Amino acid sequence: MEILDKKGKLLAKFIRHKKHSVDKNFFTENKEELQVASFNLKKDETIIRHYHPKQDRVIKTTSEVIIIKTGVLQIDIYDDSHEFIDNFILEDGDIAILISGGHGLKVINDCEFIEVKQGPYNESTDKIRF
């Protein structure tokens, strides 16, 4: 599920655990600043050995991924003007990809989750509370 602002700008994507497909499933486009995928591979399958060479990249925003291990979490989504757009409830195994705009989190039931975002990260310049 995608959340767009009133102008059609992508703010967030939500992926239900039950919707993960077999094989490889990329949730983001190659042009996006953060790549997110799930893998559901069979015994003895391999991913050919590889490495990722250094690249100069231009990152204009800090995207964030939240993966719910257990519990229930509500994520409120805001546009770039801090106007509330929508909220979404995540449960065990669900994934939120927060691409632009703002967000807030509220724990509905005790919740353990993993957060991933680009680095290096400087909280004094990379996070503005509103």
Side-chain angles (χ1 to χ4, degrees), residues 6-48:
K6 293 176 184 175
K7 296 178 182 176
K9 180 179 179 182
L10 181 61
L11 300 174
K13 293 182 179 185
F14 295 98
I15 299 96
R16 290 282 184 213
H17 174 68
K18 297 172 186 143
K19 299 289 184 184
H20 297 196
S21 69
V22 239
D23 199 32
K24 301 173 188 174
N25 189 17
F26 283 85
F27 303 120
T28 54
E29 303 293 328
N30 284 341
K31 66 182 179 181
E32 293 180 58
E33 293 180 359
L34 186 67
Q35 300 301 300
V36 179
S38 70
F39 294 82
N40 186 355
L41 304 176
K42 302 296 180 200
K43 182 180 180 343
D44 294 327
E45 287 187 74
T46 61
I47 295 175
I48 297 172

Side-chain angles (χ1 to χ4, degrees), residues 73-91:
L73 184 71
Q74 175 179 307
I75 300 184
D76 297 331
I77 302 297
Y78 300 84
D79 66 14
D80 290 335
S81 300
H82 309 154
E83 183 179 332
F84 176 78
I85 300 296
D86 204 349
N87 63 32
F88 206 80
I89 303 292
L90 297 176
E91 299 176 341

